[in-house]
């Protein structure tokens, strides 16, 4: 099933070593990732357009996606953790 497009701010949990993916938002939306795991994660765009620092439990990272496109991201601590945001 296709993900619902979110307009405006979007908060998403990192939990069970997984990102919510795919996400669909409109250009200009701020996305906030919240680490709900007991281990550290980060959120690193594969194209370098955004990069969090180390996120410990309950830490947050926000980024505003200003242009349309497909943005892939990963957690460099856990290489199998990948996500996609489609910005419309």
């Amino acid at each position: 099933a296709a993900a619902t497009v979110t307009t405006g701010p979007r908060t998403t949990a990192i939990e069970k070593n997984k990102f919510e993916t795919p996400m669909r938002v409109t250009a200009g939306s701020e996305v906030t990732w919240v680490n709900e795991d007991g281990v550290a994660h980060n959120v690193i765009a594969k194209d370098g357009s955004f990069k969090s620092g180390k996120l410990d439990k309950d830490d947050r990272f926000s980024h505003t996606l200003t242009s349309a496109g497909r943005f892939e991201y990963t957690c460099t601590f856990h290489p199998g953790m990948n996500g996609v945001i489609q910005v419309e």
Side-chain angles (χ1 to χ4, degrees):
T4 303
V5 177
T6 301
T7 302
R10 171 75 179 263
T11 300
T12 181
I14 303 169
E15 57 186 341
K16 298 179 183 159
N17 284 350
K18 292 185 179 169
F19 293 117
E20 174 188 354
T21 187
M23 255 191 286
R24 291 175 63 201
V25 299
T26 54
S29 296
E30 179 183 67
V31 175
T32 301
W33 289 264
V34 180
N35 183 3
E36 295 187 356
D37 281 341
V39 297
H41 295 297
N42 59 17
V43 180
I44 310 292
K46 292 185 179 182
D47 68 359
S49 61
F50 55 90
K51 179 180 180 179
S52 77
K54 178 181 170 191
L55 301 174
D56 290 317
K57 183 165 175 56
D58 298 326
D59 284 350
R60 297 172 168 258
F61 168 70
S62 298
H63 179 72
T64 300
L65 296 139
T66 56
S67 58
R70 177 183 164 95
F71 298 88
E72 297 181 13
Y73 58 96
T74 190
C75 170
T76 59
F77 299 123
H78 305 97
M81 279 182 66
N82 297 294
V84 173
I85 302 174
Q86 182 67 41
V87 183
E88 302 178 357

mmCIF file of all heavy atoms in Angstrom, residues 40-73:
data_model
loop_
_atom_site.group_PDB
_atom_site.id
_atom_site.type_symbol
_atom_site.label_atom_id
_atom_site.label_comp_id
_atom_site.label_asym_id
_atom_site.label_seq_id
_atom_site.Cartn_x
_atom_site.Cartn_y
_atom_site.Cartn_z
ATOM 1 N N ALA A 40 22.096 3.439 20.154
ATOM 2 C CA ALA A 40 22.268 4.663 19.371
ATOM 3 C C ALA A 40 22.006 4.411 17.885
ATOM 4 O O ALA A 40 22.281 3.330 17.359
ATOM 5 C CB ALA A 40 23.682 5.199 19.553
ATOM 6 N N HIS A 41 21.453 5.420 17.228
ATOM 7 C CA HIS A 41 21.246 5.428 15.786
ATOM 8 C C HIS A 41 21.669 6.790 15.259
ATOM 9 O O HIS A 41 21.934 7.711 16.017
ATOM 10 C CB HIS A 41 19.766 5.196 15.435
ATOM 11 C CG HIS A 41 19.248 3.856 15.821
ATOM 12 N ND1 HIS A 41 19.735 2.685 15.282
ATOM 13 C CD2 HIS A 41 18.262 3.489 16.688
ATOM 14 C CE1 HIS A 41 19.084 1.662 15.808
ATOM 15 N NE2 HIS A 41 18.182 2.120 16.671
ATOM 16 N N ASN A 42 21.701 6.908 13.938
ATOM 17 C CA ASN A 42 21.818 8.217 13.301
ATOM 18 C C ASN A 42 20.989 8.177 12.027
ATOM 19 O O ASN A 42 20.472 7.131 11.633
ATOM 20 C CB ASN A 42 23.273 8.640 13.064
ATOM 21 C CG ASN A 42 24.053 7.676 12.196
ATOM 22 O OD1 ASN A 42 23.519 6.833 11.483
ATOM 23 N ND2 ASN A 42 25.367 7.781 12.255
ATOM 24 N N VAL A 43 20.820 9.343 11.416
ATOM 25 C CA VAL A 43 20.024 9.481 10.195
ATOM 26 C C VAL A 43 20.905 10.215 9.192
ATOM 27 O O VAL A 43 21.180 11.408 9.358
ATOM 28 C CB VAL A 43 18.729 10.279 10.463
ATOM 29 C CG1 VAL A 43 17.902 10.414 9.193
ATOM 30 C CG2 VAL A 43 17.910 9.639 11.576
ATOM 31 N N ILE A 44 21.393 9.493 8.184
ATOM 32 C CA ILE A 44 22.355 10.046 7.234
ATOM 33 C C ILE A 44 21.795 9.902 5.817
ATOM 34 O O ILE A 44 21.598 8.776 5.336
ATOM 35 C CB ILE A 44 23.713 9.312 7.312
ATOM 36 C CG1 ILE A 44 24.229 9.213 8.751
ATOM 37 C CG2 ILE A 44 24.730 9.951 6.371
ATOM 38 C CD1 ILE A 44 24.636 10.510 9.380
ATOM 39 N N ALA A 45 21.568 11.021 5.137
ATOM 40 C CA ALA A 45 21.096 10.974 3.747
ATOM 41 C C ALA A 45 22.210 10.445 2.859
ATOM 42 O O ALA A 45 23.363 10.869 2.975
ATOM 43 C CB ALA A 45 20.678 12.361 3.280
ATOM 44 N N LYS A 46 21.858 9.532 1.961
ATOM 45 C CA LYS A 46 22.870 8.951 1.078
ATOM 46 C C LYS A 46 23.449 9.984 0.122
ATOM 47 O O LYS A 46 24.571 9.827 -0.336
ATOM 48 C CB LYS A 46 22.295 7.749 0.347
ATOM 49 C CG LYS A 46 22.031 6.591 1.317
ATOM 50 C CD LYS A 46 21.578 5.326 0.640
ATOM 51 C CE LYS A 46 21.373 4.223 1.668
ATOM 52 N NZ LYS A 46 20.977 2.958 1.058
ATOM 53 N N ASP A 47 22.686 11.071 -0.154
ATOM 54 C CA ASP A 47 23.200 12.134 -1.040
ATOM 55 C C ASP A 47 23.875 13.264 -0.260
ATOM 56 O O ASP A 47 24.289 14.262 -0.831
ATOM 57 C CB ASP A 47 22.092 12.699 -1.925
ATOM 58 C CG ASP A 47 21.041 13.484 -1.152
ATOM 59 O OD1 ASP A 47 21.126 13.603 0.096
ATOM 60 O OD2 ASP A 47 20.105 13.994 -1.800
ATOM 61 N N GLY A 48 23.987 13.116 1.078
ATOM 62 C CA GLY A 48 24.657 14.114 1.899
ATOM 63 C C GLY A 48 23.814 15.335 2.235
ATOM 64 O O GLY A 48 24.313 16.271 2.843
ATOM 65 N N SER A 49 22.532 15.336 1.882
ATOM 66 C CA SER A 49 21.707 16.534 2.091
ATOM 67 C C SER A 49 21.288 16.751 3.546
ATOM 68 O O SER A 49 20.948 17.865 3.925
ATOM 69 C CB SER A 49 20.469 16.494 1.187
ATOM 70 O OG SER A 49 19.665 15.365 1.477
ATOM 71 N N PHE A 50 21.327 15.708 4.367
ATOM 72 C CA PHE A 50 21.090 15.872 5.805
ATOM 73 C C PHE A 50 21.832 14.790 6.565
ATOM 74 O O PHE A 50 22.126 13.723 6.031
ATOM 75 C CB PHE A 50 19.599 15.895 6.165
ATOM 76 C CG PHE A 50 18.788 14.705 5.703
ATOM 77 C CD1 PHE A 50 18.648 13.576 6.501
ATOM 78 C CD2 PHE A 50 18.140 14.738 4.486
ATOM 79 C CE1 PHE A 50 17.886 12.494 6.079
ATOM 80 C CE2 PHE A 50 17.361 13.659 4.054
ATOM 81 C CZ PHE A 50 17.239 12.540 4.858
ATOM 82 N N LYS A 51 22.165 15.125 7.822
ATOM 83 C CA LYS A 51 22.976 14.217 8.623
ATOM 84 C C LYS A 51 22.772 14.550 10.093
ATOM 85 O O LYS A 51 23.012 15.683 10.510
ATOM 86 C CB LYS A 51 24.452 14.387 8.248
ATOM 87 C CG LYS A 51 25.396 13.517 9.041
ATOM 88 C CD LYS A 51 26.830 13.743 8.604
ATOM 89 C CE LYS A 51 27.777 12.876 9.387
ATOM 90 N NZ LYS A 51 29.168 13.047 8.977
ATOM 91 N N SER A 52 22.320 13.562 10.846
ATOM 92 C CA SER A 52 22.202 13.776 12.288
ATOM 93 C C SER A 52 23.510 13.375 12.942
ATOM 94 O O SER A 52 24.328 12.686 12.346
ATOM 95 C CB SER A 52 21.070 12.914 12.866
ATOM 96 O OG SER A 52 21.482 11.560 12.993
ATOM 97 N N GLY A 53 23.655 13.778 14.176
ATOM 98 C CA GLY A 53 24.712 13.229 15.001
ATOM 99 C C GLY A 53 24.208 11.933 15.602
ATOM 100 O O GLY A 53 23.178 11.387 15.187
ATOM 101 N N LYS A 54 24.919 11.427 16.588
ATOM 102 C CA LYS A 54 24.514 10.216 17.299
ATOM 103 C C LYS A 54 23.228 10.518 18.072
ATOM 104 O O LYS A 54 23.147 11.510 18.800
ATOM 105 C CB LYS A 54 25.629 9.796 18.254
ATOM 106 C CG LYS A 54 25.313 8.591 19.089
ATOM 107 C CD LYS A 54 26.487 8.290 20.024
ATOM 108 C CE LYS A 54 26.097 7.245 21.045
ATOM 109 N NZ LYS A 54 27.124 7.139 22.084
ATOM 110 N N LEU A 55 22.238 9.650 17.887
ATOM 111 C CA LEU A 55 20.964 9.798 18.587
ATOM 112 C C LEU A 55 20.830 8.684 19.617
ATOM 113 O O LEU A 55 20.659 7.520 19.263
ATOM 114 C CB LEU A 55 19.792 9.724 17.595
ATOM 115 C CG LEU A 55 19.766 10.741 16.476
ATOM 116 C CD1 LEU A 55 18.636 10.435 15.502
ATOM 117 C CD2 LEU A 55 19.636 12.144 17.031
ATOM 118 N N ASP A 56 20.934 9.036 20.886
ATOM 119 C CA ASP A 56 20.701 8.067 21.953
ATOM 120 C C ASP A 56 19.195 7.978 22.208
ATOM 121 O O ASP A 56 18.408 8.716 21.610
ATOM 122 C CB ASP A 56 21.448 8.496 23.223
ATOM 123 C CG ASP A 56 22.954 8.356 23.074
ATOM 124 O OD1 ASP A 56 23.411 7.334 22.519
ATOM 125 O OD2 ASP A 56 23.679 9.275 23.501
ATOM 126 N N LYS A 57 18.781 7.090 23.101
ATOM 127 C CA LYS A 57 17.358 6.916 23.386
ATOM 128 C C LYS A 57 16.703 8.263 23.685
ATOM 129 O O LYS A 57 17.248 9.065 24.445
ATOM 130 C CB LYS A 57 17.160 5.958 24.565
ATOM 131 C CG LYS A 57 15.686 5.692 24.851
ATOM 132 C CD LYS A 57 15.498 4.501 25.755
ATOM 133 C CE LYS A 57 14.048 4.300 26.132
ATOM 134 N NZ LYS A 57 13.129 4.164 25.033
ATOM 135 N N ASP A 58 15.554 8.495 23.049
ATOM 136 C CA ASP A 58 14.728 9.704 23.199
ATOM 137 C C ASP A 58 15.325 10.950 22.536
ATOM 138 O O ASP A 58 14.703 12.012 22.583
ATOM 139 C CB ASP A 58 14.396 10.002 24.667
ATOM 140 C CG ASP A 58 13.583 8.883 25.305
ATOM 141 O OD1 ASP A 58 12.760 8.262 24.594
ATOM 142 O OD2 ASP A 58 13.770 8.622 26.509
ATOM 143 N N ASP A 59 16.502 10.854 21.926
ATOM 144 C CA ASP A 59 17.039 11.997 21.184
ATOM 145 C C ASP A 59 16.249 12.195 19.897
ATOM 146 O O ASP A 59 15.682 11.248 19.338
ATOM 147 C CB ASP A 59 18.519 11.791 20.830
ATOM 148 C CG ASP A 59 19.441 11.996 22.019
ATOM 149 O OD1 ASP A 59 18.987 12.476 23.074
ATOM 150 O OD2 ASP A 59 20.640 11.674 21.878
ATOM 151 N N ARG A 60 16.258 13.442 19.412
ATOM 152 C CA ARG A 60 15.512 13.814 18.209
ATOM 153 C C ARG A 60 16.422 14.488 17.196
ATOM 154 O O ARG A 60 17.368 15.170 17.581
ATOM 155 C CB ARG A 60 14.404 14.832 18.556
ATOM 156 C CG ARG A 60 13.380 14.300 19.488
ATOM 157 C CD ARG A 60 12.426 15.399 19.962
ATOM 158 N NE ARG A 60 11.302 14.771 20.623
ATOM 159 C CZ ARG A 60 10.109 14.602 20.069
ATOM 160 N NH1 ARG A 60 9.864 15.099 18.877
ATOM 161 N NH2 ARG A 60 9.152 13.980 20.710
ATOM 162 N N PHE A 61 16.077 14.328 15.941
ATOM 163 C CA PHE A 61 16.756 15.034 14.854
ATOM 164 C C PHE A 61 15.679 15.497 13.885
ATOM 165 O O PHE A 61 14.812 14.718 13.497
ATOM 166 C CB PHE A 61 17.750 14.119 14.125
ATOM 167 C CG PHE A 61 18.253 14.693 12.830
ATOM 168 C CD1 PHE A 61 19.104 15.787 12.824
ATOM 169 C CD2 PHE A 61 17.864 14.151 11.614
ATOM 170 C CE1 PHE A 61 19.554 16.328 11.626
ATOM 171 C CE2 PHE A 61 18.316 14.682 10.415
ATOM 172 C CZ PHE A 61 19.162 15.773 10.428
ATOM 173 N N SER A 62 15.724 16.788 13.512
ATOM 174 C CA SER A 62 14.750 17.341 12.572
ATOM 175 C C SER A 62 15.442 17.892 11.349
ATOM 176 O O SER A 62 16.546 18.450 11.434
ATOM 177 C CB SER A 62 13.946 18.467 13.230
ATOM 178 O OG SER A 62 13.220 17.975 14.334
ATOM 179 N N HIS A 63 14.772 17.756 10.203
ATOM 180 C CA HIS A 63 15.273 18.303 8.946
ATOM 181 C C HIS A 63 14.082 18.714 8.097
ATOM 182 O O HIS A 63 13.098 17.979 8.005
ATOM 183 C CB HIS A 63 16.128 17.266 8.200
ATOM 184 C CG HIS A 63 16.639 17.771 6.897
ATOM 185 N ND1 HIS A 63 17.637 18.714 6.820
ATOM 186 C CD2 HIS A 63 16.270 17.501 5.620
ATOM 187 C CE1 HIS A 63 17.863 18.986 5.542
ATOM 188 N NE2 HIS A 63 17.043 18.256 4.803
ATOM 189 N N THR A 64 14.185 19.897 7.482
ATOM 190 C CA THR A 64 13.138 20.368 6.580
ATOM 191 C C THR A 64 13.524 20.016 5.151
ATOM 192 O O THR A 64 14.620 20.358 4.699
ATOM 193 C CB THR A 64 12.927 21.892 6.734
ATOM 194 O OG1 THR A 64 12.539 22.151 8.087
ATOM 195 C CG2 THR A 64 11.843 22.394 5.788
ATOM 196 N N LEU A 65 12.635 19.324 4.472
ATOM 197 C CA LEU A 65 12.862 18.886 3.088
ATOM 198 C C LEU A 65 12.237 19.923 2.164
ATOM 199 O O LEU A 65 11.012 20.023 2.072
ATOM 200 C CB LEU A 65 12.247 17.504 2.891
ATOM 201 C CG LEU A 65 12.955 16.476 3.774
ATOM 202 C CD1 LEU A 65 11.992 15.510 4.397
ATOM 203 C CD2 LEU A 65 14.019 15.764 2.974
ATOM 204 N N THR A 66 13.084 20.707 1.512
ATOM 205 C CA THR A 66 12.595 21.858 0.762
ATOM 206 C C THR A 66 12.332 21.587 -0.708
ATOM 207 O O THR A 66 11.618 22.351 -1.347
ATOM 208 C CB THR A 66 13.595 23.029 0.865
ATOM 209 O OG1 THR A 66 14.865 22.574 0.403
ATOM 210 C CG2 THR A 66 13.723 23.506 2.307
ATOM 211 N N SER A 67 12.892 20.517 -1.261
ATOM 212 C CA SER A 67 12.704 20.268 -2.690
ATOM 213 C C SER A 67 12.143 18.874 -2.924
ATOM 214 O O SER A 67 12.375 17.953 -2.143
ATOM 215 C CB SER A 67 14.028 20.435 -3.441
ATOM 216 O OG SER A 67 15.001 19.567 -2.918
ATOM 217 N N ALA A 68 11.423 18.741 -4.016
ATOM 218 C CA ALA A 68 10.821 17.455 -4.369
ATOM 219 C C ALA A 68 11.905 16.464 -4.769
ATOM 220 O O ALA A 68 12.977 16.851 -5.250
ATOM 221 C CB ALA A 68 9.832 17.649 -5.519
ATOM 222 N N GLY A 69 11.625 15.200 -4.557
ATOM 223 C CA GLY A 69 12.566 14.155 -4.955
ATOM 224 C C GLY A 69 12.484 12.970 -4.029
ATOM 225 O O GLY A 69 11.676 12.930 -3.099
ATOM 226 N N ARG A 70 13.324 12.013 -4.300
ATOM 227 C CA ARG A 70 13.410 10.791 -3.497
ATOM 228 C C ARG A 70 14.707 10.853 -2.699
ATOM 229 O O ARG A 70 15.788 10.998 -3.272
ATOM 230 C CB ARG A 70 13.422 9.578 -4.427
ATOM 231 C CG ARG A 70 13.576 8.252 -3.724
ATOM 232 C CD ARG A 70 13.645 7.135 -4.774
ATOM 233 N NE ARG A 70 14.165 5.912 -4.221
ATOM 234 C CZ ARG A 70 13.422 4.920 -3.756
ATOM 235 N NH1 ARG A 70 12.118 5.009 -3.804
ATOM 236 N NH2 ARG A 70 13.985 3.826 -3.264
ATOM 237 N N PHE A 71 14.594 10.757 -1.388
ATOM 238 C CA PHE A 71 15.753 10.858 -0.509
ATOM 239 C C PHE A 71 15.916 9.551 0.247
ATOM 240 O O PHE A 71 15.038 9.161 1.018
ATOM 241 C CB PHE A 71 15.591 12.033 0.461
ATOM 242 C CG PHE A 71 15.505 13.352 -0.240
ATOM 243 C CD1 PHE A 71 14.283 13.854 -0.664
ATOM 244 C CD2 PHE A 71 16.655 14.076 -0.520
ATOM 245 C CE1 PHE A 71 14.197 15.059 -1.337
ATOM 246 C CE2 PHE A 71 16.578 15.281 -1.197
ATOM 247 C CZ PHE A 71 15.349 15.771 -1.609
ATOM 248 N N GLU A 72 17.034 8.873 -0.001
ATOM 249 C CA GLU A 72 17.348 7.637 0.708
ATOM 250 C C GLU A 72 18.264 7.976 1.878
ATOM 251 O O GLU A 72 19.112 8.859 1.767
ATOM 252 C CB GLU A 72 18.044 6.656 -0.233
ATOM 253 C CG GLU A 72 17.163 6.232 -1.389
ATOM 254 C CD GLU A 72 17.839 5.242 -2.314
ATOM 255 O OE1 GLU A 72 18.887 4.686 -1.942
ATOM 256 O OE2 GLU A 72 17.293 5.022 -3.410
ATOM 257 N N TYR A 73 18.071 7.269 2.983
ATOM 258 C CA TYR A 73 18.919 7.519 4.153
ATOM 259 C C TYR A 73 19.204 6.205 4.866
ATOM 260 O O TYR A 73 18.568 5.182 4.618
ATOM 261 C CB TYR A 73 18.284 8.553 5.081
ATOM 262 C CG TYR A 73 16.922 8.205 5.604
ATOM 263 C CD1 TYR A 73 16.768 7.604 6.847
ATOM 264 C CD2 TYR A 73 15.769 8.474 4.874
ATOM 265 C CE1 TYR A 73 15.518 7.288 7.336
ATOM 266 C CE2 TYR A 73 14.514 8.157 5.353
ATOM 267 C CZ TYR A 73 14.397 7.573 6.596
ATOM 268 O OH TYR A 73 13.157 7.258 7.085
#
